[in-house]
Amino acid sequence: MLPFLKKIRHQLVQENRFSRYLLYAIGEIFLVVIGILIALQINNWNEEKKIRNYELKMLRELANVIKKDGGYFGSMVERLNQKGEAVDKLLQLRESKMAIRDSISKYFQVTRYETLFQYNSGPYGSIKSSGIEKISNDSIRTRMVDLYEFLIPRTEKILERLEGSNSKEEELMESLTERVLINRNGNQIIQRVIADPQVIYKPDSLQFIQVHKSNTYVAQSRIEAILPAMAHLDSLIEIELSSRDDK
């Protein structure tokens, strides 16, 4: 194509047809500009395709993490609910004057259930570092930032403050129980048990119940507040992914 155009240009110059040569030169420049614009547009399309593919990849990863963390938080709520019910049972035993050692030991053991607050912020961290604006859906972007920059960190800080009162719970537990060596499934373990059921009537017992009940309620209510936000974000992502698959 280029040799052909050069031949026409050379012929026009030799024949001294300046006006036609000028029109030809303008046309040649126009074709070059059009070619550059087309190349730039193709490059933009390729870049946009890369961004959209990255967006879909990260949304799928985020959706998977939200489902897993949501399930874990749900199990935490169940465990905290069991701890709260155990405290209520201890309070009922104290008020009813029914000091049954096995029951008291059982409920004291339930209050010792561990609840470790943890979650996976990996996908959100990757999205944040590469540019949150790459998530094109405004609703997903807003909900995602609210969840990972406000709701979860705030809950984490509140639970960390509650950890500070655990030392008081531990101190009270030491005063109410004694350590014994028991055999469980062929393994010997150390466990705290109620030696004297009358400890339920001690002032330390009531203080333990009050501290534990307050901490359990706060922790459970904070985690329960996160779950609807996670479910809503997961729903938005699933709708977005479904709409992309249909295209």
Side-chain angles (χ1 to χ4, degrees):
M1 186 67 180
L2 288 177
F4 175 71
L5 293 174
K6 288 180 180 178
K7 184 178 179 181
I8 294 176
R9 180 175 60 186
H10 182 70
Q11 183 178 353
L12 290 173
V13 172
Q14 284 184 332
E15 294 177 0
N16 200 24
R17 298 179 182 179
F18 180 76
S19 59
R20 290 189 178 183
Y21 175 75
L22 182 61
L23 289 174
Y24 165 81
I26 293 173
E28 191 174 19
I29 293 172
F30 176 77
L31 288 175
V32 172
V33 171
I34 290 297
I36 293 173
L37 291 175
I38 291 174
L40 288 174
Q41 185 61 48
I42 292 174
N43 184 63
N44 289 339
W45 284 338
N46 289 334
E47 288 300 317
E48 183 67 21
K49 185 177 180 181
K50 288 180 182 178
I51 292 174
R52 296 287 74 83
N53 287 338
Y54 173 80
E55 178 189 12
L56 291 176
K57 175 177 176 291
M58 295 313 301
L59 286 178
R60 290 190 182 98
E61 288 186 15
L62 185 62
N64 289 334
V65 164
I66 289 173
K67 287 181 176 65
K68 290 179 181 178
D69 286 345
Y72 176 72
F73 289 162
S75 66
M76 281 188 70
V77 169
E78 290 179 9
R79 177 154 284 202
L80 286 166
N81 187 57
Q82 291 174 356
K83 286 161 68 75
E85 289 177 350
V87 169
D88 288 339
K89 291 292 186 182
L90 287 173
L91 192 58
Q92 289 173 14
L93 288 172
R94 176 187 172 88
E95 292 175 348
S96 65
K97 307 298 182 183
M98 295 176 61
I100 304 173
R101 195 186 71 145
D102 289 345
S103 296
I104 294 173
S105 291
K106 171 187 172 183
Y107 296 130
F108 263 111
Q109 286 301 319
V110 174
T111 65
R112 307 312 295 162
Y113 285 171
E114 291 187 1
T115 52
L116 179 62
F117 185 79
Q118 58 185 5
Y119 61 98
N120 184 355
S121 61
Y124 174 72
S126 297
I127 293 171
K128 184 178 179 180
S129 62
S130 65
I132 290 179
E133 69 279 357
K134 288 183 179 179
I135 303 299
S136 57
N137 187 302
D138 292 341
S139 296
I140 291 177
R141 194 166 58 246
T142 300
R143 294 283 179 174
M144 178 180 65
V145 171
D146 184 55
L147 179 65
Y148 286 99
E149 297 290 348
F150 177 68
L151 287 176
I152 290 180
R154 185 185 180 200
T155 297
E156 191 169 27
K157 287 181 179 180
I158 290 174
L159 296 183
E160 285 175 357
R161 285 200 295 268
L162 293 179
E163 288 290 328
S165 63
N166 281 354
S167 58
K168 183 61 179 177
E169 282 193 43
E170 193 70 20
E171 179 185 331
L172 292 169
M173 179 63 76
E174 286 286 353
S175 69
L176 298 171
T177 61
E178 63 180 37
R179 299 173 186 271
V180 297
L181 191 65
I182 65 172
N183 188 293
R184 180 175 293 174
N185 299 325
N187 298 315
Q188 288 190 324
I189 62 172
I190 297 175
Q191 184 171 309
R192 288 182 176 138
V193 298
I194 299 294
D196 180 7
Q198 297 302 313
V199 298
I200 195 69
Y201 304 120
K202 288 184 176 181
D204 283 354
S205 175
L206 182 59
Q207 187 178 2
F208 173 84
I209 291 171
Q210 290 173 332
V211 172
H212 196 81
K213 186 176 180 65
S214 175
N215 289 350
T216 300
Y217 172 78
V218 172
Q220 184 174 343
S221 61
R222 287 307 311 166
I223 296 172
E224 285 177 336
I226 297 175
L227 293 175
M230 296 182 74
H232 189 192
L233 178 56
D234 183 42
S235 176
L236 289 174
I237 293 174
E238 291 299 334
I239 292 172
E240 180 70 12
L241 292 175
S242 178
S243 68
R244 298 289 187 88
D245 290 340
D246 293 339
K247 293 180 180 180

